[in-house]
Amino acid sequence: MIATNEHYERIPSSEESSQTQLADDVNEKGTIFVYCLVFCVSISGFLFGYDTGVISGALQPIQEDFVLSTRQQEWIVGSTTLGAIFGGFFAGFLSDRFGRKPLVLCAAIIFIIGSSSIALASSYSLLLIGRLIVGLGVGIASMITPVYISEIAPKSFRGRLTTLNTFVITFGQVVAYMVNIIYSKKINGWRYMFGIGAVPALIQLIIMPFMPESPRKMVAKNNLADAKKTLQKIYGTSVSDQFIDYEIENIQKDMSLNDIGSYRNFLEYHNLKPLLIACMLQIAQQLSGFNTAMYYAATILQMAGFRDHQNSTVVALIVAVTNMLFTMIAVAIIDKTGRRRILIITMIFMITSLFVLGGSFAIQQEGFIPKKLICEEYIYHCSRCILDDRCSWSTAQNTCITLLDSNSTSFLSDITLESCPKKTADGIITFVLLFSLATYVASYALGLGYVPWIIQSELFNISLRGKANGIATATNWVFNLVVSSTFLSMVDALSTAGTFWLYASISILLWVGIVRWVPETSGKSLEDISSSF
């Protein structure tokens, strides 16, 4: 079915050449109203960040309370991602059908239910169900927030406003780590960590009903009067009524040239190409391995020698703050630098940092040493020995032994559980490891952390934008699940160093694809971008 012009009340306009000149000459400025809209909808982004970051500090006390295996720990982390796959995919279809605003409200309700369920969970199964529910909210939020912001943002600073959402996500992760530190020593502290996540969702549920629907969605529903009022509030006095009429007609024109929108339309090349680009960007984001640094931050830092849980969480907080600060820089430079250029440059630094990080772990753990069948096979590799919870280090024998081995009880007084014997190069290795980790986080935050979400929200015409973003978001979470649910197993099989080098090698291949196929979208209207395909 084709959406023809007769379906819409047309806004009168002048000649096309004068319209183009009008669009080029307008001086777009941000208004308090548009920033209020971005703030309200970005609470979903905060919850996205908080609920994906809080597990880093909560995982170890949960493991101690429920006595979880490695696979069960991976599923506690991965269950939220599994829920996000379905939440992200169906959010695309539902947002096209019911609008952007109802999906934001739906996500808030889901966050409240999920956070409360986890906080009250009395068994591993109930905990898993609660994490799945939260995952649905995370998936919806990750898809709908950048789409809503891109549709309300003026093109001259659309990148900045969309990146603000990524900044709020990183801020949510920082808050999660701070909450982790506060409650790390309290009995049942992990329950408070998760329960606090319901508070921002409740605030959003109260505020969001007073916010408008996306003006582009209003035009799609032929609600032109409200769309014009909303656009006037967004642009303020910096533009004329003629420009507002031009914007509305441009949206109508984009709709009239495209189908109403079904999944079969993605079989057409001009729709398939941007979809493949969006999915490739989301795959690149996940296979960089960054979310392992978020989900398993405290665990990774324990691998690096920070044996105390609270100390490792504090250093993980520094990593999260680095992510947030460099996302702030990205907010300032994205519209000036361009999406494509900044992504290509920062990925080079990110890949280099991954190789250095892996190399640091290889030196610190004395090689690429996978998990052994028995502790004695670690021989003199102390750093790798004490990472295995079955093993400990005997100072008397200067070798790895089984922690609960009855034959080694005579050596219990000589066992060092907290750390290995000091070496001269330990300080330098730890510095290089932490520096490369910080550089990895910073370069990711400046590019791959947010550019896929911006470009994804810009590539498609309005009739397919929701569905396409749903597919790309689901792709993101599918690969997130693969990475998060296999990280500990990969460390066991390949070693920590081998795992990070694998991420770096995959990122090189995806960088080549980005250089070849990703277009520049900065400074163009959504309608101009979609028509370029």
Side-chain angles (χ1 to χ4, degrees):
M1 179 178 176
I2 304 297
T4 58
N5 295 355
E6 65 189 19
H7 288 177
Y8 305 101
E9 174 193 345
R10 301 295 293 176
I11 298 288
S13 64
S14 43
E15 293 299 317
E16 186 173 340
S17 59
S18 63
Q19 288 180 332
T20 304
Q21 186 64 39
L22 177 66
D24 292 339
D25 291 344
V26 70
N27 182 26
E28 298 174 343
K29 295 180 180 178
T31 62
I32 294 176
F33 179 76
V34 75
Y35 283 107
C36 283
L37 284 179
V38 172
F39 169 78
C40 291
V41 74
S42 291
I43 295 176
S44 295
F46 175 87
L47 292 165
F48 171 7
Y50 184 88
D51 282 304
T52 53
V54 74
I55 191 62
S56 172
L59 186 59
Q60 189 169 341
I62 288 174
Q63 192 276 332
E64 292 170 357
D65 279 5
F66 291 98
V67 193
L68 304 179
S69 66
T70 294
R71 177 54 63 184
Q72 286 175 319
Q73 290 179 65
E74 288 176 334
W75 275 108
I76 287 294
V77 175
S79 57
T80 290
T81 307
L82 181 62
I85 294 172
F86 294 99
F89 179 80
F90 288 108
F93 165 76
L94 294 172
S95 70
D96 278 345
R97 186 178 182 87
F98 299 108
R100 317 313 191 202
K101 178 180 170 180
L103 265 291
V104 176
L105 292 168
C106 179
I109 294 171
I110 291 173
F111 277 124
I112 292 171
I113 295 172
S115 297
S116 302
S117 299
I118 298 171
L120 299 173
S122 58
S123 67
Y124 170 71
S125 299
L126 292 175
L127 186 63
L128 206 60
I129 292 171
R131 291 284 290 169
L132 277 167
I133 294 172
V134 165
L136 289 173
V138 168
I140 294 171
S142 63
M143 177 269 156
I144 200 62
T145 306
V147 170
Y148 184 95
I149 294 174
S150 72
E151 291 188 346
I152 65 170
K155 67 177 183 293
S156 60
F157 52 97
R158 185 177 62 242
R160 189 192 321 159
L161 291 180
T162 309
T163 308
L164 274 175
N165 177 59
T166 308
F167 167 73
V168 173
I169 292 172
T170 62
F171 179 63
Q173 291 168 339
V174 169
V175 171
Y177 286 143
M178 292 174 68
V179 170
N180 288 346
I181 293 170
I182 292 170
Y183 289 101
S184 63
K185 298 295 185 181
K186 295 184 182 295
I187 298 174
N188 287 324
W190 63 268
R191 296 185 185 275
Y192 294 97
M193 296 176 192
F194 287 110
I196 287 171
V199 177
L202 183 61
I203 294 172
Q204 186 180 47
L205 193 61
I206 294 171
I207 297 175
M208 198 63 200
F210 299 99
M211 298 295 109
E213 175 61 273
S214 155
R216 282 177 167 81
K217 197 60 187 174
M218 291 178 184
V219 173
K221 294 181 177 179
N222 210 24
N223 191 358
L224 302 185
D226 286 345
K228 186 170 183 177
K229 288 178 183 178
T230 301
L231 286 170
Q232 287 170 333
K233 289 180 180 179
I234 288 171
Y235 286 100
T237 58
S238 64
V239 301
S240 64
D241 287 345
Q242 185 182 11
F243 175 79
I244 299 296
D245 290 342
Y246 165 75
E247 284 286 282
I248 293 176
E249 182 161 350
N250 215 21
I251 297 168
Q252 291 176 316
K253 186 183 297 182
D254 181 55
M255 295 184 65
S256 68
L257 293 174
N258 295 283
D259 294 346
I260 289 298
S262 70
Y263 288 103
R264 285 178 297 180
N265 296 129
F266 290 116
L267 297 176
E268 300 169 10
Y269 179 76
H270 65 278
N271 293 323
L272 179 62
K273 183 178 179 180
L275 180 64
L276 292 176
I277 290 172
C279 291
M280 178 182 67
L281 288 171
Q282 296 292 10
I283 292 170
Q285 184 186 81
Q286 291 305 318
L287 293 187
S288 70
F290 177 79
N291 279 321
T292 61
M294 289 292 102
Y295 299 159
Y296 296 102
T299 304
I300 290 171
L301 288 162
Q302 286 178 333
M303 294 174 186
F306 294 86
R307 304 302 298 167
D308 182 80
H309 174 63
Q310 189 169 36
N311 288 342
S312 63
T313 303
V314 170
V315 180
L317 173 61
I318 296 173
V319 172
V321 169
T322 301
N323 187 24
M324 184 182 73
L325 291 177
F326 278 87
T327 303
M328 287 178 64
I329 296 173
V331 171
I333 67 175
I334 181 61
D335 285 311
K336 298 175 183 177
T337 308
R339 285 72 150 143
R340 172 185 160 85
R341 182 182 178 191
I342 197 171
L343 181 59
I344 290 172
I345 293 172
T346 55
M347 279 190 71
I348 294 173
F349 286 95
M350 186 199 75
I351 292 167
T352 302
S353 299
L354 270 173
F355 277 117
V356 176
L357 179 62
S360 301
F361 272 112
I363 296 171
Q364 192 253 2
Q365 296 179 6
E366 302 172 314
F368 295 82
I369 305 171
K371 187 174 182 178
K372 303 296 185 180
L373 291 176
I374 59 173
C375 296
E376 286 70 20
E377 290 184 2
Y378 292 118
I379 314 174
Y380 54 83
H381 297 293
C382 176
S383 296
R384 186 62 184 87
C385 167
I386 62 175
L387 288 179
D388 194 323
D389 55 12
R390 303 169 302 164
C391 310
S392 190
W393 186 255
S394 169
T395 55
Q397 293 183 313
N398 196 33
T399 189
C400 191
I401 62 172
T402 303
L403 183 60
L404 300 178
D405 189 349
S406 59
N407 295 325
S408 63
T409 53
S410 61
F411 301 110
L412 285 177
S413 60
D414 297 317
I415 293 174
T416 301
L417 294 176
E418 295 300 321
S419 61
C420 292
K422 297 291 183 182
K423 296 180 181 178
T424 306
D426 281 353
I428 297 174
I429 293 171
T430 300
F431 172 78
V432 173
L433 193 151
L434 292 177
F435 181 78
S436 59
L437 178 61
T439 306
Y440 167 49
V441 171
S443 52
Y444 174 91
L446 284 172
L448 204 53
Y450 69 97
V451 171
W453 297 108
I454 294 178
I455 293 181
Q456 169 183 305
S457 67
E458 296 175 328
L459 291 178
F460 307 96
N461 61 67
I462 193 170
S463 62
L464 291 173
R465 189 170 296 139
K467 295 179 181 66
N469 275 265
I471 293 171
T473 300
T475 300
N476 176 288
W477 289 109
V478 166
F479 282 87
N480 185 306
L481 178 63
V482 170
V483 170
S484 64
S485 63
T486 60
F487 175 69
L488 295 178
S489 298
M490 285 177 63
V491 167
D492 287 346
L494 303 176
S495 78
T496 312
T499 299
F500 282 113
W501 279 18
L502 177 62
Y503 293 148
S505 301
I506 295 171
S507 294
I508 291 174
L509 298 177
L510 289 163
W511 180 84
V512 172
I514 288 169
V515 170
R516 291 193 61 181
W517 293 305
V518 174
E520 182 56 73
T521 60
S522 181
K524 301 177 182 178
S525 71
L526 297 180
E527 290 69 37
D528 289 340
I529 295 168
S530 64
S531 64
S532 68
F533 291 102

